[in-house]
């Protein structure tokens, strides 16, 4: 699900919410989350998961074209850990599809699940 799909689904689920208001709400929430991570804070959404920062050490990599060694600097990257509710929901969906005998569809996307409730 893309950001524009999320906005459209949110506006469709809540008819009193204009599309531009849904757009503003989604962008505000995502901006707040990005700022919190940039400030080194952890974000926890119960039942969904948590976002935190992970430190990656400096390392020696290789240029795939020339094969020469390249220094890759240390960096901080965002990390998502799914919550128990999300894991169980995704696992339950995959098990139900497997039991039905069909080929499993791509894993359920968290935003799809949240907005269907």
């Amino acid at each position: 699900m893309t950001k524009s799909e999320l906005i459209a689904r949110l506006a469709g689920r809540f008819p009193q919410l204009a599309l531009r208001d849904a757009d503003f709400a989604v962008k505000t929430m995502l901006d707040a989350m990005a700022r919190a991570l940039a400030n080194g804070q952890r974000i926890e959404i119960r039942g969904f998961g948590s976002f935190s920062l992970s430190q990656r050490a400096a390392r020696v990599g290789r240029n795939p074209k020339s094969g020469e060694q390249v220094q890759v600097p240390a960096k901080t990257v965002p990390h998502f850990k799914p919550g128990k509710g999300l894991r169980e929901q995704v696992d339950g969906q995959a098990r139900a599809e497997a039991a039905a005998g069909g080929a499993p569809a791509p894993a359920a996307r968290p935003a799809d699940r949240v907005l269907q409730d």
Side-chain angles (χ1 to χ4, degrees):
M1 173 178 278
T2 64
K3 183 167 64 170
S4 58
E5 291 171 340
L6 176 62
I7 292 166
R9 185 164 296 176
L10 188 61
R13 178 152 183 216
F14 299 99
Q16 71 277 15
L17 193 61
L19 189 61
R20 74 172 191 277
D21 293 335
D23 179 57
F24 179 74
V26 169
K27 287 181 179 177
T28 300
M29 185 178 74
L30 294 175
D31 287 344
M33 291 173 72
R35 276 194 312 275
L37 286 171
N39 290 332
Q41 297 173 329
R42 183 173 183 272
I43 301 167
E44 182 178 332
I45 303 171
R46 300 279 167 138
F48 183 75
S50 61
F51 296 87
S52 59
L53 298 174
S54 295
Q55 305 297 323
R56 291 200 181 156
R59 62 184 175 87
V60 176
R62 285 206 182 272
N63 180 331
K65 190 171 186 177
S66 66
E68 76 179 73
Q69 292 186 343
V70 178
Q71 285 292 344
V72 179
K75 57 183 161 184
T76 303
V77 295
H79 174 75
F80 175 73
K81 181 178 178 187
K84 181 180 176 185
L86 178 60
R87 284 192 317 267
E88 289 173 352
Q89 198 170 43
V90 170
D91 185 44
Q93 177 75 19
R95 288 177 191 257
E97 289 171 356
R109 297 175 291 189
D112 288 346
R113 289 280 174 208
V114 169
L115 290 176
Q116 287 177 357
D117 294 336

